[in-house]
Amino acid sequence: MIEQKGILFILSGPSGVGKGTVRKALFEKDTSLQYSISMTTRDKRPGEVEGVDYFYRTKEEFEEMINKGQLLEYAKYVNNYYGTPRQYVEETLEQGKDVFLEIEVQGALQVRENFPEGVFIFLCPPSLDELKNRIINRGTETEQSVMNRLRAAKDEIELMDAYDYVVVNDYIDNAVDKIQAIVASEHCKRERVASEYKKLLEVTQL
Amino acid sequence: MIEQKGILFILSGPSGVGKGTVRKALFEKDTSLQYSISMTTRDKRPGEVEGVDYFYRTKEEFEEMINKGQLLEYAKYVNNYYGTPRQYVEETLEQGKDVFLEIEVQGALQVRENFPEGVFIFLCPPSLDELKNRIINRGTETEQSVMNRLRAAKDEIELMDAYDYVVVNDYIDNAVDKIQAIVASEHCKRERVASEYKKLLEVTQL
């Protein structure tokens, strides 16, 4: 039996493409992945649990972690920090578990800088027309803001060159199947398997 | 809809590992792959069909193809040539169909030289002990020849560094699942998808 470290998979893509929906459908089918737990400075809400929903830290603690490079990525929303702690990811990978991170494009680019050995998957809409329909169907945006979001999406799609894989989100089940195929095939990559396999051979006497 | 060229997949591995069995099981499940048709100088047998079982050529024709670099690999067995014609592979890939080639390690290394854009999958036994059992269970070899084959297998396994993926053939179904995952994920590789996808975006007016 070949022992292997886990792999960090990062799912990203333009806003509106359906990252969250695909991630939920994936986790319903696949229980071998560990969802990456974020760190935040916002207050813990009733029912939330440290280390399950988030790791909760003070603003000072969070900023110290930023300065020490202990976050794979972070961002500030509405005066609170949110980020991905490196230590949690690395410990989970060491246990042989894959970690799965679903994140906005800007965050994914930070992770790419800080953890280039991750596997980066870009989820994209079948077409911009389809993305337009999805944003309009949410019903929360003016015509002008729909156009702004589409232009932003087009810019974000240009960033796909920083990714290892592109999955077109035509149907959720298709996208989930493809992501599962990527996870399985990455574990067969020769770079990951060969050295452990050769160790296994060395102990065999002929 | 993104149009994509087919991909050439090469399955290889040490003699005795079960390449043929895995290939047959794969083709029973997956009808989207086209098996690569070999060229030979041996006589056509009753019931065999040109372009289905083999492409049949004279020795002179075959040697001319060797000299013109029109074979991805070839070998001579019992005074006859066998090889993989480049043209058939390339035409099938152009039609958007994946081509699958199951071949000995030496032939795979030739293909790697002549068609580096192929995806090379190394099938290996769970352990050398297991390979020994498989060879012994065939019941056709003396103890000495079993040891010779095992030593040859160990040398062949050292060649796995020339491959993109390593699939351990513990159970046939597992191995087939992994190969199917590799096929699906290779079609999601950003290098293959990004340029076609961007063309699709350019025609969208915002």
Side-chain angles (χ1 to χ4, degrees):
Chain A
M1 190 56 199
I2 297 181
E3 302 219 348
Q4 235 187 76
K5 267 187 64 173
I7 301 171
L8 174 63
F9 294 93
I10 297 95
L11 181 69
S12 189
S15 142
V17 73
K19 293 186 288 295
T21 312
V22 167
R23 188 250 304 160
K24 273 179 214 137
L26 173 68
F27 274 76
E28 276 166 22
K29 277 183 76 179
D30 193 325
T31 55
S32 73
L33 296 165
Q34 171 63 49
Y35 192 68
S36 171
I37 297 163
S38 294
M39 189 167 280
T40 184
T41 58
R42 82 152 166 73
D43 289 338
K44 198 197 289 186
R45 293 177 190 153
E48 289 185 348
V49 177
E50 159 79 15
V52 175
D53 298 289
Y54 284 99
F55 298 107
Y56 302 90
R57 293 292 181 273
T58 66
K59 200 163 285 189
E60 293 68 35
E61 289 168 333
F62 201 104
E63 287 173 349
E64 196 185 326
M65 292 187 71
I66 296 174
N67 292 334
K68 288 186 173 165
Q70 293 172 344
L71 296 161
L72 296 183
E73 56 79 35
Y74 69 95
K76 208 170 186 176
Y77 298 109
V78 204
N79 226 15
N80 274 308
Y81 288 114
Y82 294 80
T84 302
R86 176 187 285 273
Q87 190 183 357
Y88 174 74
V89 169
E90 290 190 338
E91 284 174 0
T92 311
L93 298 181
E94 282 298 331
Q95 292 161 20
K97 269 205 122 176
D98 294 332
V99 178
F100 197 88
L101 179 59
E102 175 226 322
I103 195 171
E104 299 300 319
V105 171
Q106 292 307 323
L109 292 179
Q110 285 184 55
V111 179
R112 178 108 243 178
E113 284 293 310
N114 294 318
F115 205 86
E117 60 269 47
V119 174
F120 292 78
I121 304 170
F122 193 85
L123 193 69
C124 63
S127 68
L128 280 183
D129 288 335
E130 179 58 31
L131 186 63
K132 190 172 168 180
N133 291 338
R134 289 180 196 182
I135 294 174
I136 289 172
N137 285 338
R138 290 184 176 179
T140 55
E141 321 247 352
T142 65
E143 198 177 333
Q144 185 54 46
S145 86
V146 168
M147 290 314 284
N148 288 344
R149 290 196 54 177
L150 274 177
R151 283 204 196 84
K154 204 168 175 180
D155 290 344
E156 286 182 322
I157 288 169
E158 296 294 328
L159 299 173
M160 68 163 64
D161 288 346
Y163 290 74
D164 301 300
Y165 295 95
V166 174
V167 169
V168 177
N169 188 19
D170 46 3
Y171 299 100
I172 294 169
D173 287 349
N174 279 355
V176 168
D177 286 349
K178 285 174 180 174
I179 293 169
Q180 291 195 294
I182 291 166
V183 170
S185 78
E186 280 288 329
H187 279 284
C188 297
K189 280 269 182 84
R190 189 249 312 149
E191 311 88 275
R192 297 190 207 279
V193 185
S195 64
E196 285 302 315
Y197 191 81
K198 286 181 185 172
K199 271 187 227 159
L200 205 114
L201 290 188
E202 275 162 27
V203 298
T204 312
Q205 299 298 322
L206 285 185
Chain B
M1 190 57 199
I2 298 181
E3 302 219 349
Q4 233 187 76
K5 270 186 62 174
I7 302 171
L8 174 62
F9 294 93
I10 298 93
L11 181 69
S12 189
S15 143
V17 73
K19 292 186 289 294
T21 311
V22 167
R23 188 250 302 162
K24 273 179 215 137
L26 173 68
F27 274 76
E28 276 166 23
K29 276 184 76 179
D30 193 325
T31 55
S32 72
L33 297 165
Q34 172 63 50
Y35 192 67
S36 173
I37 297 164
S38 295
M39 189 167 278
T40 184
T41 58
R42 81 152 165 75
D43 289 338
K44 199 197 289 187
R45 292 175 191 155
E48 288 186 348
V49 177
E50 159 78 15
V52 175
D53 298 289
Y54 284 100
F55 298 108
Y56 302 90
R57 294 294 181 272
T58 66
K59 200 163 286 189
E60 293 67 33
E61 290 168 330
F62 201 104
E63 287 174 348
E64 197 186 329
M65 292 187 70
I66 295 174
N67 293 333
K68 288 186 174 166
Q70 293 171 345
L71 296 161
L72 296 183
E73 56 80 33
Y74 70 95
K76 209 170 186 176
Y77 298 108
V78 204
N79 226 17
N80 275 309
Y81 287 114
Y82 295 80
T84 302
R86 175 186 284 274
Q87 190 184 356
Y88 174 74
V89 169
E90 289 189 340
E91 285 174 0
T92 310
L93 299 181
E94 282 298 332
Q95 291 161 21
K97 269 203 124 176
D98 294 332
V99 178
F100 196 88
L101 179 59
E102 175 226 322
I103 194 170
E104 299 300 319
V105 170
Q106 292 307 323
L109 292 178
Q110 285 184 56
V111 180
R112 178 108 244 179
E113 285 293 310
N114 294 319
F115 204 86
E117 59 270 45
V119 174
F120 292 77
I121 304 170
F122 192 85
L123 193 69
C124 62
S127 68
L128 280 184
D129 288 335
E130 179 57 31
L131 186 63
K132 188 172 168 181
N133 291 339
R134 289 182 196 181
I135 295 173
I136 289 171
N137 285 339
R138 290 183 176 180
T140 55
E141 321 246 352
T142 64
E143 197 178 333
Q144 184 55 46
S145 86
V146 168
M147 289 316 283
N148 288 343
R149 290 196 54 178
L150 274 178
R151 282 204 196 83
K154 203 168 175 179
D155 290 344
E156 286 182 322
I157 288 168
E158 296 294 329
L159 299 172
M160 68 162 64
D161 289 345
Y163 290 74
D164 301 301
Y165 295 96
V166 173
V167 169
V168 177
N169 189 19
D170 45 3
Y171 299 99
I172 293 168
D173 287 348
N174 278 355
V176 168
D177 286 348
K178 285 175 181 175
I179 293 169
Q180 291 196 294
I182 291 166
V183 170
S185 79
E186 280 288 328
H187 279 285
C188 297
K189 279 269 181 85
R190 189 249 313 150
E191 311 87 275
R192 297 191 207 278
V193 185
S195 64
E196 285 301 316
Y197 190 82
K198 286 181 185 171
K199 272 187 227 158
L200 204 115
L201 291 187
E202 274 161 27
V203 299
T204 312
Q205 298 299 321
L206 284 187

